[in-house]
Amino acid sequence: MIKQDDPLWYKDAVFYEVYVRAFHDSNADGHGDLPGLTAKLDYIQNLGFDCIWLLPIYPSPLKDDGYDIADYYNIHPDYGTLEDFEILTKEAHQRGIRIIADLVLNHTSNQHPWFQSARKSRSSKYRDYYVWSDTNRKYKDARIIFIDTETSNWTWDDTAGQYYWHRFYSSQPDLNFNNPAVQEEMFNVMKFWLDLGIDGFRVDAVPYLFEREGTICENLPETHDYLKRLRKFIDTNYPGRVLLCEANQWPEDVRPYFGDGDEFHIGFHFPIMPRIFMAIRKSDISDVKNIMARTPEIPSNCQWCTFLRNHDELTLEMVTEEERQWMWQEYAPESRMRLNLGIRRRLAPLLDGDQRKIELANSILFSLIGTPIIYYGDEIGMGDNIWLEDRAGVRTPMQWENSPDVGFSHADPKKFYLPVINDPIFGYEHINVKDQQNCPSSLLNQIKKMIAVHKAYRAFGRGDFSWVDVDNDAIAAYYRTYQDEKILVIQNLSATSQAIAFPLDTIHQPIDILNQKKLHLTNKPPFSLNLAGYEYLWLKI
Ligand code: GLC
């Protein structure tokens, strides 16, 4: 069962991001579903994950893979029923795993009955649920997010005889948070799922809730006021449940989303992510150092959430123009790899399918700061398919086994919602769960080890962080300390071996906690250490 005794459980946790459609299909229709996920909970438990984040599971015309919600109170028929959801939650809880799901506040689908009613009549009670205008010239300072598809944040609606506002696809009209009725609707939505047993929400696209002329319509004070009310609602009625903030912003702009510990419990740290990729490609940790220096302290009951990849393009919004060009050139040399301001590729192909680099990236993820999230499939190094539409190429069926149906479904693979990855490097013959489970040195088993060790030491989730100066930018070395725990992480970002010197007191009787053995120090103090290319060490001092 989940332990209820620690209200700060999320600080030491490891999260797993699951796209239900991709995970496991229980009824042979070619689409993953909730019972399929339930059937695979042992796998998730065995890896050591504490919490699953489900991408949207609600009825939707799927113009944005479910982020366009047509009914907040039900399950998409491809995924099953509300009862299936209850079973999933119950089964997960029995295994000590929590479940959170996306809460999409900012917009609905244009197929949502609210929008359908709103567009048909100015006197509909739902008209004011959305943001309408006679001109498309308002809020000109708001940027366009899906730049490859949308040319404006306004779209003309013939039926309505007005423009409506949308920050994402034009099929996703923004809700009008000035309207108290909209604000109340979302409390009802939260209550519904919390009563069903959900453990919290990943709250989607929070910076954009309100619009104000003369601003960029992001991170407005009204937004924070409203979010604080959501938090209060949770604390009062559902203590122990969490809110995870999706604000793709600079650290100083995410900081207010933690409030005084009274807004979000957890917030994604977006800008660290591309800098981990920069560091590995450049064999130089400086960019990560700079963004860490720019990362403010957060209240003690809050936590950063870090990730390497997710279900979206690898976003390059939180880098300079020059850095973005560099990232594209290095990691997305073909134009098809680029999408909006990002890169539509998965972790393993980005890192050349090189297990040493993939492990290294994960070592940084698991030891740097905050609560790590792994995107399904990245634990086995799944590949991508850049030729699929939009972000579908990083959302393909989970590769369980070496067979044409990859153990994902009993349907004919031709009927799968997307084709499985079948290229010479990342195809299911080479990359699948079963083979990696049977191989002690596989990526899967290395990640399992990192999860276990991350969870065994509170220093990782709660400890202080300080860099160790080793006078070599190819080495990322830092201490994580919590009470009497002191952990020294040393990672070689380069392909060549590096020798580094450590002061005696630092390297006193270190234990390699990933491999459970004493570090062999051959020479006399001052100790020096030789790290092989891309080697990483987590040492308990
Ligand atoms: C978030 C989601 C993304 C979605 C967008 C609009 O950024 O991660 O997948 O398209 O919100 O809802």
Side-chain angles (χ1 to χ4, degrees):
M1 287 306 281
I2 15 180
K3 292 199 210 85
Q4 299 291 1
D5 52 348
D6 187 0
L8 299 181
W9 64 269
Y10 49 86
K11 295 194 74 158
D12 312 300
V14 181
F15 281 54
Y16 191 50
E17 180 188 355
V18 172
Y19 178 41
V20 174
R21 194 177 299 279
F23 209 59
H24 192 244
D25 172 16
S26 73
N27 60 352
D29 65 356
H31 298 263
D33 46 41
L34 293 173
L37 172 56
T38 304
K40 292 293 184 185
L41 282 174
D42 288 342
Y43 168 78
I44 296 173
Q45 178 187 27
N46 182 265
L47 282 173
F49 289 110
D50 303 280
C51 184
I52 299 171
W53 154 30
L54 302 176
L55 297 188
I57 49 177
Y58 320 101
S60 160
L62 304 177
K63 300 288 182 228
D64 184 12
D65 242 340
Y67 281 96
D68 46 331
I69 297 176
D71 178 359
Y72 284 92
Y73 298 99
N74 219 326
I75 301 286
H76 193 287
D78 289 347
Y79 292 164
T81 62
L82 285 169
E83 203 195 334
D84 292 330
F85 179 80
E86 285 182 285
I87 295 170
L88 167 70
T89 313
K90 204 171 120 242
E91 292 284 327
H93 288 171
Q94 269 168 13
R95 290 168 176 78
I97 301 170
R98 288 177 163 87
I99 304 267
I100 65 170
D102 262 287
L103 175 68
V104 185
L105 301 173
N106 182 66
H107 46 266
T108 69
S109 160
N110 58 5
Q111 301 305 310
H112 195 290
W114 298 340
F115 189 74
Q116 286 303 318
S117 168
R119 65 199 293 236
K120 279 182 197 124
S121 155
R122 287 189 192 227
S123 60
S124 159
K125 87 171 224 210
Y126 296 110
R127 183 74 168 197
D128 198 33
Y129 271 40
Y130 295 89
V131 182
W132 301 98
S133 168
D134 292 328
T135 83
N136 57 3
R137 290 187 297 277
K138 282 167 83 176
Y139 312 135
K140 278 210 295 288
D141 299 328
R143 70 193 165 114
I144 294 166
I145 296 169
F146 287 159
I147 50 168
D148 285 2
T149 330
E150 302 298 331
T151 50
S152 166
N153 288 323
W154 291 108
T155 289
W156 176 257
D157 187 86
D158 259 343
T159 312
Q162 279 191 305
Y163 293 94
Y164 63 90
W165 178 251
H166 54 88
R167 290 310 298 270
F168 295 92
Y169 287 126
S170 58
S171 53
Q172 290 163 299
D174 271 36
L175 285 163
N176 173 19
F177 274 84
N178 285 326
N179 181 349
V182 168
Q183 298 193 8
E184 283 318 300
E185 291 282 3
M186 290 305 162
F187 283 96
N188 297 335
V189 170
M190 282 176 52
K191 183 172 185 314
F192 178 82
W193 292 98
L194 291 162
D195 287 341
L196 280 180
I198 208 165
D199 298 290
F201 301 99
R202 178 260 195 192
V203 191
D204 183 63
V206 292
Y208 319 109
L209 301 188
F210 285 82
E211 297 75 36
R212 291 290 180 264
E213 203 55 76
T215 73
I216 58 166
C217 299
E218 294 182 26
N219 310 325
L220 297 179
E222 294 83 347
T223 297
H224 289 291
D225 291 345
Y226 179 65
L227 294 168
K228 284 198 168 73
R229 285 181 53 209
L230 293 188
R231 169 62 180 266
K232 196 153 195 209
F233 176 78
I234 296 256
D235 283 353
T236 311
N237 304 293
Y238 302 91
R241 320 277 182 108
V242 295
L243 295 173
L244 163 60
C245 171
E246 192 220 10
N248 187 352
Q249 304 281 332
W250 292 102
E252 59 271 24
D253 295 323
V254 178
R255 174 62 190 83
Y257 288 97
F258 295 112
D260 297 319
D262 58 355
E263 208 167 312
F264 280 94
H265 301 81
I266 328 175
F268 285 117
H269 195 310
F270 274 90
I272 283 186
M273 180 273 299
R275 287 168 179 82
I276 296 177
F277 288 92
M278 291 180 197
I280 294 177
R281 193 62 134 220
K282 294 181 185 171
S283 304
D284 182 340
I285 195 63
S286 309
D287 294 316
V288 174
K289 276 193 176 164
N290 293 338
I291 202 69
M292 289 285 285
R294 200 176 156 176
T295 299
E297 289 290 320
I298 56 176
S300 61
N301 60 342
C302 296
Q303 179 69 311
W304 291 108
C305 186
T306 52
F307 60 98
L308 295 169
R309 288 295 292 111
N310 62 19
H311 63 291
D312 288 324
E313 66 273 32
L314 186 167
T315 163
L316 297 174
E317 279 159 280
M318 294 301 122
V319 296
T320 64
E321 180 55 39
E322 197 186 326
E323 289 169 329
R324 185 177 307 131
Q325 294 303 333
W326 184 88
M327 281 292 288
W328 269 332
Q329 183 189 309
E330 293 295 324
Y331 283 109
E334 294 173 40
S335 66
R336 182 70 196 181
M337 294 172 171
R338 304 177 186 184
L339 178 69
N340 300 316
L341 288 183
I343 301 174
R344 55 172 131 202
R345 301 182 71 195
R346 264 194 185 259
L347 178 65
L350 283 165
L351 297 178
D352 309 314
D354 182 339
Q355 190 174 329
R356 295 171 312 161
K357 286 194 231 174
I358 301 168
E359 281 185 33
L360 173 67
N362 278 288
S363 167
I364 300 173
L365 175 76
F366 277 99
S367 63
L368 196 62
I369 49 162
T371 291
I373 287 203
I374 300 281
Y375 181 48
Y376 90 92
D378 281 350
E379 73 274 27
I380 54 169
M382 253 172 67
D384 52 39
N385 180 350
I386 56 170
W387 302 103
L388 298 175
E389 281 310 299
D390 198 357
R391 292 150 290 177
V394 301
R395 302 177 182 180
T396 59
M398 178 70 173
Q399 293 168 204
W400 296 101
E401 287 168 20
N402 178 5
S403 61
D405 67 16
V406 294
F408 159 71
S409 165
H410 291 302
D412 178 344
K414 286 196 212 71
K415 282 177 57 193
F416 286 10
Y417 73 99
L418 284 176
V420 303
I421 301 294
N422 193 13
D423 64 47
I425 298 170
F426 300 102
Y428 55 83
E429 298 98 326
H430 310 285
I431 305 289
N432 65 70
V433 171
K434 205 166 176 188
D435 288 353
Q436 293 199 20
Q437 278 173 332
N438 295 331
C439 169
S441 64
S442 66
L443 179 63
L444 181 69
N445 280 317
Q446 294 305 113
I447 290 197
K448 183 174 167 182
K449 201 157 70 184
M450 286 190 218
I451 295 174
V453 177
H454 176 95
K455 286 170 41 162
Y457 295 93
R458 289 211 153 170
F460 290 116
R462 308 195 186 199
D464 293 333
F465 176 95
S466 60
W467 292 102
V468 178
D469 186 10
V470 290
D471 208 17
N472 178 348
D473 286 335
I475 298 293
Y478 39 82
Y479 282 119
R480 303 301 319 272
T481 38
Y482 182 76
Q483 294 173 355
D484 55 357
E485 268 176 33
K486 186 166 189 176
I487 294 176
L488 171 63
V489 177
I490 316 172
Q491 300 153 124
N492 179 2
L493 305 179
S494 76
T496 54
S497 79
Q498 304 281 327
I500 41 168
F502 279 95
L504 173 65
D505 62 329
T506 317
I507 270 299
H508 189 62
Q509 292 286 313
I511 297 176
D512 171 347
I513 48 177
L514 283 169
N515 299 302
Q516 295 302 338
K517 58 177 194 208
K518 280 218 174 98
L519 194 72
H520 204 58
L521 292 168
T522 43
N523 51 357
K524 292 215 158 15
F527 292 119
S528 70
L529 203 65
N530 234 339
L531 286 167
Y534 302 123
E535 188 177 350
Y536 56 95
L537 284 170
W538 299 4
L539 303 175
K540 186 171 171 229
I541 309 293

